[in-house]
Amino acid sequence: MHETERHRVILSAAQSRPVVTVAELCEVTSSSEATIRRDIAALHVQGKLRRVRGGAEAINPPEQGGLMGRPFSVNESINIAQKRAIARAAAEMCHDGEPIIINGGTTTYQMVHHLAGKRLSVFTNSFAIAEFLIHNSRNSVVIPGGTIYREQNVILSPFGGVVASHFYAKRMFIGCQGIGAHGLMEADPMVVQSELALIGQADELVVLADSSKFSGRSSLILCGLDRIAAVISDSGIRDEDRQMLENAGVRLIVADAGAQVQPEARTA
């Protein structure tokens, strides 16, 4: 991640909680501890945040806390060709008349361009996804009640969702902070709480994860691999990660930018 992008992520994270630790910033930026400490020192000198023991805090924290993780605007341009190919493959799994859930994220957002000509019932906690589909398609769009978190472009409620609990979906499409042998990982407890409620409403869980996500790590596990029906990734996925999914009975679909989508493995 470029220094400018790291600084944006660090400042956003500092606004999300009383103190953001160096370890947390290493996770969300995939950077070394030495790099993060240098960034914090530089931002402290610039007067953009306050350096504290083991981390940093905002100069003027907002009344509404934010979420841990990279802002949508930062993530949007990272691995964009892979994300577009993955999203195209995900959209090909959707058929007219089906109810689906699309969780907020920069990879899932790329699905909207391929859903414009379909007739689906779409539940999404993404303000950006809902807005695009409302203006550019004839899909039915349902959103939950809650607070809009501008940085991540999602709608979340700490009280759960009445609408979500009554929405059945054939499939749920979801991104992640990271994916490994323990399952899907996320960066923020509120995101995990919201996603857990949605996962329970879908028959199948389909994960959209470019190959870099297999190196991503977080302290919060959303669900195990046994809950995942399929993972859509790109051709950069390592052999050991392919084997991990195969051993778990997870179908892998590899989507290459500019190439045909190919199913790699089938559910056991």
Side-chain angles (χ1 to χ4, degrees), residues 4-260:
T4 302
E5 293 178 338
R6 285 200 315 274
H7 285 190
R8 288 180 62 189
V9 173
I10 291 169
L11 291 172
S12 175
Q15 294 285 327
S16 71
R17 55 197 63 204
V19 174
V20 60
T21 68
V22 171
E24 290 171 331
L25 293 172
C26 288
E27 281 187 3
V28 298
T29 62
S30 300
S31 302
S32 69
E33 183 175 319
T35 297
I36 293 301
R37 290 189 183 279
R38 284 197 300 269
D39 287 339
I40 290 175
L43 292 169
H44 175 83
V45 170
Q46 295 169 25
K48 295 181 178 180
L49 54 68
R50 186 178 294 109
R51 181 173 55 185
V52 298
R53 185 177 179 84
E57 64 182 10
I59 299 295
N60 297 301
E63 292 184 10
Q64 176 197 326
L67 300 173
M68 274 299 295
R70 297 170 183 163
F72 186 95
S73 58
V74 171
N75 264 341
E76 194 171 19
S77 60
I78 298 175
N79 297 331
I80 186 61
Q82 292 91 332
K83 289 179 178 180
R84 286 172 176 165
I86 289 167
R88 182 175 64 245
E92 289 176 359
M93 300 176 72
C94 303
H95 306 287
D96 286 353
E98 289 182 343
I100 63 171
I101 296 172
I102 308 179
N103 197 62
T106 55
T107 308
T108 52
Y109 175 75
Q110 293 298 325
M111 291 178 65
V112 297
H113 307 286
H114 307 286
L115 299 179
K118 295 182 183 287
R119 295 286 189 91
L120 303 162
S121 180
V122 180
F123 182 99
T124 183
N125 61 2
S126 165
F127 188 76
I129 291 173
E131 184 177 38
F132 183 95
L133 293 178
I134 288 169
H135 293 295
N136 299 280
S137 82
R138 300 184 69 180
N139 293 291
S140 169
V141 180
V142 181
I143 59 174
T147 301
I148 296 173
Y149 289 83
R150 291 179 177 84
E151 289 287 341
Q152 280 75 26
N153 238 320
V154 294
I155 307 166
L156 300 178
S157 170
F159 310 109
V162 175
V163 176
S165 66
H166 293 281
F167 189 93
Y168 155 78
K170 175 73 173 177
R171 295 182 184 86
M172 176 175 175
F173 298 92
I174 187 173
C176 61
Q177 176 78 17
I179 181 170
H182 294 293
L184 289 189
M185 288 166 274
E186 274 298 347
D188 191 277
M190 183 172 283
V191 172
V192 171
Q193 179 183 347
S194 172
E195 291 176 346
L196 280 174
L198 292 176
I199 286 172
Q201 302 303 117
D203 285 346
E204 296 180 355
L205 182 63
V206 179
V207 178
L208 282 61
D210 67 73
S211 54
S212 70
K213 296 299 178 70
F214 288 87
S215 300
R217 292 293 180 265
S218 176
S219 58
L220 300 177
I221 298 174
L222 175 62
C223 69
L225 294 178
D226 58 344
R227 180 61 182 87
I228 301 170
V231 170
I232 308 176
S233 191
D234 59 74
S235 58
I237 185 171
R238 300 171 301 187
D239 290 341
E240 56 264 40
D241 295 322
R242 293 172 186 253
Q243 190 63 52
M244 175 187 69
L245 295 176
E246 183 178 340
N247 292 344
V250 178
R251 181 187 179 202
L252 171 63
I253 299 171
V254 173
D256 284 336
Q260 293 294 319

